[in-house]
Amino acid sequence: MAGEVIAQGAEAVSHGINLVPVVALLAAGVIAVPLFKRLGLGSVLGYLAAGLLLGPSGIGLIRDPSAVLASAELGVVMFLFIIGLEMEPAKLWALRKQIFGLGVLQVAGCGAVLTGVGVLLGFSPVVSFIFGMGFVLTSTAIVMQILGERGELTTDGGQKIVSILLLEDLAIVPLLAIIAILAPSTGDESLLERFGSIGIALGAIGLLIFLGQRIMNPLFSILASVKQREVMTAAALLVVLGAALLMQVSGLSMAMGAFLAGVLLSTSTFRHQLEADVEPFRGILLGLFFLAIGMSLDLTIVADNWRIIVVAVVCYMIAKALVIYGIARALKSDHREALERAVLMSQGGEFAFVLYTTAATAGLIDAPTNAIFTATVIISMAITPFSIIALRYVLPKATQSMVGVEVAEGLNERILVIGFGRFGQITSQALLGQGHRLSIIDNDTDMIRVAAQFGMKVYYGDGARLDILHAAGAANADLVLICIDDKVAATRIAELFRTEFPLVKVMARAYDRVHAIELIKAGVDYQLREMFESAIVFGGEAIRILGAAEDEVEAVLDGVRERDRLRFEGQLLDNSDPLDLARSLLLRNAADQAREGGVDLAPAQIEKSVADAVIPPPQT
């Protein structure tokens, strides 16, 4: 079957462009990625598996993965450009201790240990150093993709990982220089050439900084005045690829050039436009990069050298993870964060391929050794998504720190507030403004500590537990305000007060219309949908801006509230689904109704009809 497809592709290319590989690559990504994400395996593994299927070790539709990889590396380049756009110089300066402290410590520690592992596996010290340092360079693409999917790029733990990745990306520069120094030398002339290459590299960095600070912003201002979107897109690509080319011809990493260009443009007024223009290319090419990595895995080499590859994968991943964990714990990270970082960063990365290829070209390692090293890194990258899945089952549950937090015990104020988030904070201000004394409980210790900085005393406690309610003084309270945003817990608390503290007045924050009905049936004395009043005020301000007089605004808003009250009471009395009842009360477009009834309404009458009608969303 694959042979027939290839034959058809060969026939097609004789008549023009061969679209078979292009269509196959797109189809593989479109099918594999959603499937693997649905299975909980992540998009990266989906790309790797699809690439393995299409490559020489699979159906053989793509015969030359290196050609695909060469183009797909632009995905990593654009990815680092976008990362650079997010890294303003001030932000990088704020992270300097993590980048050049934690980052250097991890790279040096892992490099030393992995070099030792290579020696124990029988490689020479120089080859062990190359193998180990290549494996130290974690896959920026995989880790950033996983952190991005989990929304952890901006967390403290995520920022530490990003800082380490940045240092590792920068480390490829001195590592390539070391490879050049270790390469077989022919004399003084070669040494002079090496010093010359260092000077060229520094000059290229200086030129890029000058262009970024003096030329790029004025250039984009001129291009923006043309008001042609495709010109701005072309300019964005020119900046990324031009910076990458400049670094490449000077002997540095293309990714480093793109990252530096991104940093230089991070404070530009065109930053968001650049990001929007580059993002589609970045997504496609980064996916293609992972496909190419999967294609590059030669199962024949794996089969012939499976023992050394298996041992290397296990030893290198475990050794690297242990070093990362140890450094994290030594620098005061908790067990959960250290373990997660160790597992997430235990694989090799895409820059290892650059390092190994350079070493092979320089004559430091032979082709079979290069293939073994490459297979080891690829397998470690493929294992990472499975390691993340396994980590979910062994990772200890996150525990809240109780430092600076008091547990609710023996409280006796007449008013009890349960929940001190956005809703509870604003609600409490009205009560405090009238001089009332409050007992406030919340189950978020971070919120409690932040509240303390503003002079608010909030106790720790879960209001859905009867023992906590007793400790918070619920039995002696006159009024309780349920201000939490958890629908199930709010209803549970309301039911507890109805059965255990029936004399206490209960007010509750409702999530939506259905939840409000549940709360009333649970016995609350007053409920308010959290978005209802703010939406009404917002709508009133909208018609005021459009020219409505103040008395008209008040009349319209009163009508909205009254019709909503009548509809709500109807839902309470009706045994049918509240949503079905709401739909039965919806008015269709006034002009359509008028035509169906044979009545022509003037525009002003139509506007009045629409203003009189309240069309609620399914759950407000």
Side-chain angles (χ1 to χ4, degrees), residues 359-376:
T361 304
L364 291 172
I365 59 176
D366 56 25
T369 303
N370 183 24
I372 292 173
F373 291 176
T374 301
T376 301

Side-chain angles (χ1 to χ4, degrees), residues 10 36 113 119 136 145-146 163 203 214 398-399 459 463 540 543 584 597 609:
F36 274 69
V113 171
V119 173
V136 164
Q145 183 95 347
I146 292 173
S163 300
R214 302 293 182 182
T399 57
Y459 295 89
I543 61 176
S584 69
S609 179

Side-chain angles (χ1 to χ4, degrees), residues 514-594:
V514 176
H515 186 220
I517 293 173
E518 291 178 0
L519 289 170
I520 290 177
K521 291 180 179 179
V524 302
D525 297 280
Y526 178 83
Q527 55 74 33
L528 178 66
R529 283 168 280 159
E530 57 185 19
M531 298 295 183
F532 183 68
E533 280 297 328
S534 60
I536 286 182
V537 172
F538 192 80
E541 188 62 29
I543 61 176
R544 184 180 289 109
I545 290 174
L546 292 173
E550 195 62 35
D551 56 343
E552 292 177 321
V553 173
E554 292 180 4
V556 169
L557 298 189
D558 289 343
V560 172
R561 292 188 177 94
E562 178 62 16
R563 283 184 291 275
D564 183 81
R565 182 186 65 80
L566 294 174
R567 187 166 56 252
F568 191 78
E569 290 178 354
Q571 290 176 336
L572 280 173
L573 297 174
D574 198 281
N575 293 324
S576 62
D577 185 350
L579 294 181
D580 290 339
L581 180 59
R583 292 191 186 101
S584 69
L585 294 172
L586 287 176
L587 297 177
R588 288 170 292 174
N589 181 276
D592 291 341
Q593 285 183 324

